[in-house]
PDB file of all heavy atoms in Angstrom:
ATOM      1  N   GLU A 240      11.297   8.488  27.049  1.00 91.00           N
ATOM      2  CA  GLU A 240      10.590   7.140  26.879  1.00 91.00           C
ATOM      3  C   GLU A 240      10.673   6.599  25.486  1.00 91.00           C
ATOM      4  O   GLU A 240       9.785   5.887  25.016  1.00 91.00           O
ATOM      5  CB  GLU A 240       9.151   7.222  27.455  1.00 91.00           C
ATOM      6  CG  GLU A 240       9.005   7.727  28.769  1.00 91.00           C
ATOM      7  CD  GLU A 240       9.294   6.672  29.945  1.00 91.00           C
ATOM      8  OE1 GLU A 240       9.737   5.650  29.563  1.00 91.00           O
ATOM      9  OE2 GLU A 240       9.250   7.094  31.015  1.00 91.00           O
ATOM     10  N   GLN A 241      11.660   7.063  24.697  1.00 93.00           N
ATOM     11  CA  GLN A 241      11.785   6.515  23.363  1.00 93.00           C
ATOM     12  C   GLN A 241      12.018   5.035  23.430  1.00 93.00           C
ATOM     13  O   GLN A 241      12.597   4.536  24.376  1.00 93.00           O
ATOM     14  CB  GLN A 241      12.956   7.186  22.717  1.00 93.00           C
ATOM     15  CG  GLN A 241      13.072   6.873  21.135  1.00 93.00           C
ATOM     16  CD  GLN A 241      14.347   7.392  20.534  1.00 93.00           C
ATOM     17  OE1 GLN A 241      15.397   7.428  21.256  1.00 93.00           O
ATOM     18  NE2 GLN A 241      14.301   7.897  19.337  1.00 93.00           N
ATOM     19  N   THR A 242      11.589   4.277  22.480  1.00 90.00           N
ATOM     20  CA  THR A 242      11.594   2.805  22.258  1.00 90.00           C
ATOM     21  C   THR A 242      10.449   2.169  23.043  1.00 90.00           C
ATOM     22  O   THR A 242      10.251   0.936  22.856  1.00 90.00           O
ATOM     23  CB  THR A 242      12.921   2.156  22.781  1.00 90.00           C
ATOM     24  OG1 THR A 242      12.937   2.067  24.293  1.00 90.00           O
ATOM     25  CG2 THR A 242      14.127   2.932  22.340  1.00 90.00           C
ATOM     26  N   TRP A 243       9.702   2.914  23.829  1.00 91.00           N
ATOM     27  CA  TRP A 243       8.573   2.314  24.609  1.00 91.00           C
ATOM     28  C   TRP A 243       7.214   2.830  24.154  1.00 91.00           C
ATOM     29  O   TRP A 243       7.084   3.877  23.605  1.00 91.00           O
ATOM     30  CB  TRP A 243       8.750   2.616  26.111  1.00 91.00           C
ATOM     31  CG  TRP A 243      10.012   1.997  26.732  1.00 91.00           C
ATOM     32  CD1 TRP A 243      11.230   2.641  26.858  1.00 91.00           C
ATOM     33  CD2 TRP A 243      10.149   0.672  27.224  1.00 91.00           C
ATOM     34  NE1 TRP A 243      12.054   1.718  27.408  1.00 91.00           N
ATOM     35  CE2 TRP A 243      11.549   0.533  27.632  1.00 91.00           C
ATOM     36  CE3 TRP A 243       9.307  -0.405  27.297  1.00 91.00           C
ATOM     37  CZ2 TRP A 243      11.981  -0.639  28.125  1.00 91.00           C
ATOM     38  CZ3 TRP A 243       9.832  -1.611  27.870  1.00 91.00           C
ATOM     39  CH2 TRP A 243      11.080  -1.679  28.247  1.00 91.00           C
ATOM     40  N   VAL A 244       6.210   2.070  24.489  1.00 93.00           N
ATOM     41  CA  VAL A 244       4.835   2.541  24.251  1.00 93.00           C
ATOM     42  C   VAL A 244       4.545   3.896  24.871  1.00 93.00           C
ATOM     43  O   VAL A 244       3.865   4.725  24.423  1.00 93.00           O
ATOM     44  CB  VAL A 244       3.787   1.446  24.620  1.00 93.00           C
ATOM     45  CG1 VAL A 244       2.384   2.023  24.553  1.00 93.00           C
ATOM     46  CG2 VAL A 244       3.951   0.136  23.811  1.00 93.00           C
ATOM     47  N   GLU A 245       5.115   4.036  26.092  1.00 94.00           N
ATOM     48  CA  GLU A 245       4.875   5.259  26.862  1.00 94.00           C
ATOM     49  C   GLU A 245       5.404   6.443  26.014  1.00 94.00           C
ATOM     50  O   GLU A 245       4.731   7.513  26.084  1.00 94.00           O
ATOM     51  CB  GLU A 245       5.672   5.228  28.187  1.00 94.00           C
ATOM     52  CG  GLU A 245       5.038   4.328  29.205  1.00 94.00           C
ATOM     53  CD  GLU A 245       5.573   2.899  29.038  1.00 94.00           C
ATOM     54  OE1 GLU A 245       6.165   2.517  28.038  1.00 94.00           O
ATOM     55  OE2 GLU A 245       5.297   2.129  29.997  1.00 94.00           O
ATOM     56  N   GLY A 246       6.437   6.244  25.286  1.00 94.00           N
ATOM     57  CA  GLY A 246       6.964   7.397  24.479  1.00 94.00           C
ATOM     58  C   GLY A 246       5.952   7.753  23.328  1.00 94.00           C
ATOM     59  O   GLY A 246       5.748   8.947  23.029  1.00 94.00           O
ATOM     60  N   ALA A 247       5.321   6.699  22.796  1.00 95.00           N
ATOM     61  CA  ALA A 247       4.362   7.033  21.716  1.00 95.00           C
ATOM     62  C   ALA A 247       3.197   7.680  22.276  1.00 95.00           C
ATOM     63  O   ALA A 247       2.671   8.635  21.642  1.00 95.00           O
ATOM     64  CB  ALA A 247       3.946   5.592  21.155  1.00 95.00           C
ATOM     65  N   LEU A 248       2.697   7.283  23.476  1.00 95.00           N
ATOM     66  CA  LEU A 248       1.590   7.933  24.094  1.00 95.00           C
ATOM     67  C   LEU A 248       1.912   9.356  24.472  1.00 95.00           C
ATOM     68  O   LEU A 248       1.030  10.302  24.348  1.00 95.00           O
ATOM     69  CB  LEU A 248       1.160   7.130  25.340  1.00 95.00           C
ATOM     70  CG  LEU A 248       0.647   5.700  25.040  1.00 95.00           C
ATOM     71  CD1 LEU A 248       0.356   4.980  26.345  1.00 95.00           C
ATOM     72  CD2 LEU A 248      -0.642   5.792  24.132  1.00 95.00           C
ATOM     73  N   LYS A 249       3.079   9.632  25.047  1.00 95.00           N
ATOM     74  CA  LYS A 249       3.513  10.931  25.360  1.00 95.00           C
ATOM     75  C   LYS A 249       3.498  11.935  24.157  1.00 95.00           C
ATOM     76  O   LYS A 249       3.041  13.073  24.243  1.00 95.00           O
ATOM     77  CB  LYS A 249       4.932  10.958  26.008  1.00 95.00           C
ATOM     78  CG  LYS A 249       4.877  10.431  27.511  1.00 95.00           C
ATOM     79  CD  LYS A 249       6.264  10.542  28.067  1.00 95.00           C
ATOM     80  CE  LYS A 249       6.253  10.176  29.579  1.00 95.00           C
ATOM     81  NZ  LYS A 249       7.575  10.422  30.138  1.00 95.00           N
ATOM     82  N   THR A 250       4.174  11.494  22.991  1.00 96.00           N
ATOM     83  CA  THR A 250       4.190  12.291  21.872  1.00 96.00           C
ATOM     84  C   THR A 250       2.761  12.621  21.300  1.00 96.00           C
ATOM     85  O   THR A 250       2.497  13.747  20.907  1.00 96.00           O
ATOM     86  CB  THR A 250       5.049  11.728  20.728  1.00 96.00           C
ATOM     87  OG1 THR A 250       4.478  10.467  20.288  1.00 96.00           O
ATOM     88  CG2 THR A 250       6.475  11.476  21.203  1.00 96.00           C
ATOM     89  N   THR A 251       1.884  11.612  21.444  1.00 95.00           N
ATOM     90  CA  THR A 251       0.548  11.783  20.952  1.00 95.00           C
ATOM     91  C   THR A 251      -0.240  12.762  21.812  1.00 95.00           C
ATOM     92  O   THR A 251      -0.907  13.668  21.327  1.00 95.00           O
ATOM     93  CB  THR A 251      -0.117  10.413  20.962  1.00 95.00           C
ATOM     94  OG1 THR A 251       0.524   9.453  20.169  1.00 95.00           O
ATOM     95  CG2 THR A 251      -1.563  10.586  20.412  1.00 95.00           C
ATOM     96  N   GLU A 252      -0.038  12.656  23.112  1.00 95.00           N
ATOM     97  CA  GLU A 252      -0.715  13.587  24.067  1.00 95.00           C
ATOM     98  C   GLU A 252      -0.217  14.952  23.868  1.00 95.00           C
ATOM     99  O   GLU A 252      -1.012  15.932  23.802  1.00 95.00           O
ATOM    100  CB  GLU A 252      -0.489  13.163  25.441  1.00 95.00           C
ATOM    101  CG  GLU A 252      -1.260  14.001  26.496  1.00 95.00           C
ATOM    102  CD  GLU A 252      -2.767  13.986  26.374  1.00 95.00           C
ATOM    103  OE1 GLU A 252      -3.247  12.998  25.890  1.00 95.00           O
ATOM    104  OE2 GLU A 252      -3.433  14.988  26.722  1.00 95.00           O
ATOM    105  N   LEU A 253       1.099  15.204  23.708  1.00 95.00           N
ATOM    106  CA  LEU A 253       1.624  16.507  23.479  1.00 95.00           C
ATOM    107  C   LEU A 253       1.171  17.063  22.128  1.00 95.00           C
ATOM    108  O   LEU A 253       0.787  18.244  22.050  1.00 95.00           O
ATOM    109  CB  LEU A 253       3.195  16.476  23.431  1.00 95.00           C
ATOM    110  CG  LEU A 253       3.838  16.337  24.812  1.00 95.00           C
ATOM    111  CD1 LEU A 253       5.268  15.980  24.654  1.00 95.00           C
ATOM    112  CD2 LEU A 253       3.694  17.694  25.555  1.00 95.00           C
ATOM    113  N   MET A 254       1.160  16.334  21.100  1.00 96.00           N
ATOM    114  CA  MET A 254       0.608  16.746  19.820  1.00 96.00           C
ATOM    115  C   MET A 254      -0.823  17.213  19.912  1.00 96.00           C
ATOM    116  O   MET A 254      -1.205  18.248  19.283  1.00 96.00           O
ATOM    117  CB  MET A 254       0.774  15.632  18.705  1.00 96.00           C
ATOM    118  CG  MET A 254       0.350  15.990  17.382  1.00 96.00           C
ATOM    119  SD  MET A 254      -1.385  15.544  17.075  1.00 96.00           S
ATOM    120  CE  MET A 254      -1.401  13.859  17.270  1.00 96.00           C
ATOM    121  N   LEU A 255      -1.692  16.492  20.548  1.00 95.00           N
ATOM    122  CA  LEU A 255      -3.043  16.870  20.801  1.00 95.00           C
ATOM    123  C   LEU A 255      -3.254  18.107  21.532  1.00 95.00           C
ATOM    124  O   LEU A 255      -4.086  19.015  21.207  1.00 95.00           O
ATOM    125  CB  LEU A 255      -3.844  15.712  21.383  1.00 95.00           C
ATOM    126  CG  LEU A 255      -3.971  14.395  20.570  1.00 95.00           C
ATOM    127  CD1 LEU A 255      -4.610  13.284  21.352  1.00 95.00           C
ATOM    128  CD2 LEU A 255      -4.750  14.702  19.271  1.00 95.00           C
ATOM    129  N   GLN A 256      -2.504  18.235  22.594  1.00 95.00           N
ATOM    130  CA  GLN A 256      -2.641  19.420  23.435  1.00 95.00           C
ATOM    131  C   GLN A 256      -2.120  20.675  22.735  1.00 95.00           C
ATOM    132  O   GLN A 256      -2.780  21.751  22.781  1.00 95.00           O
ATOM    133  CB  GLN A 256      -1.850  19.235  24.816  1.00 95.00           C
ATOM    134  CG  GLN A 256      -2.500  18.237  25.680  1.00 95.00           C
ATOM    135  CD  GLN A 256      -1.772  18.149  27.033  1.00 95.00           C
ATOM    136  OE1 GLN A 256      -1.067  19.119  27.436  1.00 95.00           O
ATOM    137  NE2 GLN A 256      -1.966  17.038  27.716  1.00 95.00           N
ATOM    138  N   GLU A 257      -1.003  20.551  22.095  1.00 95.00           N
ATOM    139  CA  GLU A 257      -0.381  21.692  21.388  1.00 95.00           C
ATOM    140  C   GLU A 257      -1.144  22.185  20.157  1.00 95.00           C
ATOM    141  O   GLU A 257      -1.314  23.389  19.952  1.00 95.00           O
ATOM    142  CB  GLU A 257       1.077  21.386  20.922  1.00 95.00           C
ATOM    143  CG  GLU A 257       1.947  21.132  22.109  1.00 95.00           C
ATOM    144  CD  GLU A 257       3.295  20.491  21.652  1.00 95.00           C
ATOM    145  OE1 GLU A 257       3.389  20.039  20.461  1.00 95.00           O
ATOM    146  OE2 GLU A 257       4.202  20.356  22.478  1.00 95.00           O
ATOM    147  N   ASN A 258      -1.756  21.288  19.417  1.00 95.00           N
ATOM    148  CA  ASN A 258      -2.334  21.614  18.160  1.00 95.00           C
ATOM    149  C   ASN A 258      -3.826  21.591  18.055  1.00 95.00           C
ATOM    150  O   ASN A 258      -4.468  22.258  17.188  1.00 95.00           O
ATOM    151  CB  ASN A 258      -1.779  20.722  17.052  1.00 95.00           C
ATOM    152  CG  ASN A 258      -0.303  20.853  16.916  1.00 95.00           C
ATOM    153  OD1 ASN A 258       0.291  21.863  16.478  1.00 95.00           O
ATOM    154  ND2 ASN A 258       0.426  19.806  17.295  1.00 95.00           N
ATOM    155  N   PHE A 259      -4.464  20.900  18.962  1.00 94.00           N
ATOM    156  CA  PHE A 259      -5.947  20.790  19.020  1.00 94.00           C
ATOM    157  C   PHE A 259      -6.522  21.355  20.302  1.00 94.00           C
ATOM    158  O   PHE A 259      -7.727  21.272  20.487  1.00 94.00           O
ATOM    159  CB  PHE A 259      -6.384  19.296  18.842  1.00 94.00           C
ATOM    160  CG  PHE A 259      -6.038  18.702  17.574  1.00 94.00           C
ATOM    161  CD1 PHE A 259      -4.772  18.145  17.238  1.00 94.00           C
ATOM    162  CD2 PHE A 259      -6.870  18.755  16.453  1.00 94.00           C
ATOM    163  CE1 PHE A 259      -4.426  17.610  16.059  1.00 94.00           C
ATOM    164  CE2 PHE A 259      -6.586  18.237  15.155  1.00 94.00           C
ATOM    165  CZ  PHE A 259      -5.300  17.711  15.008  1.00 94.00           C
ATOM    166  N   LYS A 260      -5.598  21.967  21.074  1.00 90.00           N
ATOM    167  CA  LYS A 260      -6.097  22.649  22.277  1.00 90.00           C
ATOM    168  C   LYS A 260      -6.873  21.753  23.245  1.00 90.00           C
ATOM    169  O   LYS A 260      -7.753  22.211  23.907  1.00 90.00           O
ATOM    170  CB  LYS A 260      -6.857  23.981  21.959  1.00 90.00           C
ATOM    171  CG  LYS A 260      -6.204  24.870  20.943  1.00 90.00           C
ATOM    172  CD  LYS A 260      -4.758  25.188  21.405  1.00 90.00           C
ATOM    173  CE  LYS A 260      -4.039  26.032  20.345  1.00 90.00           C
ATOM    174  NZ  LYS A 260      -2.638  26.298  20.722  1.00 90.00           N
ATOM    175  N   LEU A 261      -6.530  20.535  23.272  1.00 92.00           N
ATOM    176  CA  LEU A 261      -7.213  19.580  24.176  1.00 92.00           C
ATOM    177  C   LEU A 261      -6.607  19.647  25.581  1.00 92.00           C
ATOM    178  O   LEU A 261      -5.412  19.845  25.804  1.00 92.00           O
ATOM    179  CB  LEU A 261      -7.091  18.150  23.680  1.00 92.00           C
ATOM    180  CG  LEU A 261      -7.715  17.867  22.301  1.00 92.00           C
ATOM    181  CD1 LEU A 261      -7.567  16.407  22.048  1.00 92.00           C
ATOM    182  CD2 LEU A 261      -9.209  18.222  22.320  1.00 92.00           C
ATOM    183  N   GLU A 262      -7.502  19.601  26.586  1.00 90.00           N
ATOM    184  CA  GLU A 262      -7.102  19.600  27.958  1.00 90.00           C
ATOM    185  C   GLU A 262      -6.464  18.190  28.346  1.00 90.00           C
ATOM    186  O   GLU A 262      -6.809  17.215  27.747  1.00 90.00           O
ATOM    187  CB  GLU A 262      -8.301  19.875  28.908  1.00 90.00           C
ATOM    188  CG  GLU A 262      -8.882  21.256  28.654  1.00 90.00           C
ATOM    189  CD  GLU A 262      -8.021  22.349  29.062  1.00 90.00           C
ATOM    190  OE1 GLU A 262      -7.073  22.160  30.063  1.00 90.00           O
ATOM    191  OE2 GLU A 262      -8.168  23.515  28.579  1.00 90.00           O
ATOM    192  N   LYS A 263      -5.551  18.211  29.359  1.00 88.00           N
ATOM    193  CA  LYS A 263      -5.037  16.981  29.807  1.00 88.00           C
ATOM    194  C   LYS A 263      -6.192  16.170  30.424  1.00 88.00           C
ATOM    195  O   LYS A 263      -6.947  16.619  31.176  1.00 88.00           O
ATOM    196  CB  LYS A 263      -3.893  17.270  30.857  1.00 88.00           C
ATOM    197  CG  LYS A 263      -3.305  16.026  31.400  1.00 88.00           C
ATOM    198  CD  LYS A 263      -2.192  16.316  32.399  1.00 88.00           C
ATOM    199  CE  LYS A 263      -0.995  17.023  31.772  1.00 88.00           C
ATOM    200  NZ  LYS A 263       0.142  17.057  32.743  1.00 88.00           N
TER     201      LYS A 263
END
Side-chain angles (χ1 to χ4, degrees):
E240 305 283 358
Q241 191 188 33
T242 79
W243 295 95
V244 171
E245 289 86 347
L248 295 175
K249 283 184 174 182
T250 62
T251 303
E252 183 62 30
L253 283 168
M254 180 272 297
L255 292 173
Q256 290 185 22
E257 293 167 353
N258 300 292
F259 294 87
K260 309 306 178 186
L261 298 182
E262 298 290 335
K263 183 178 290 190

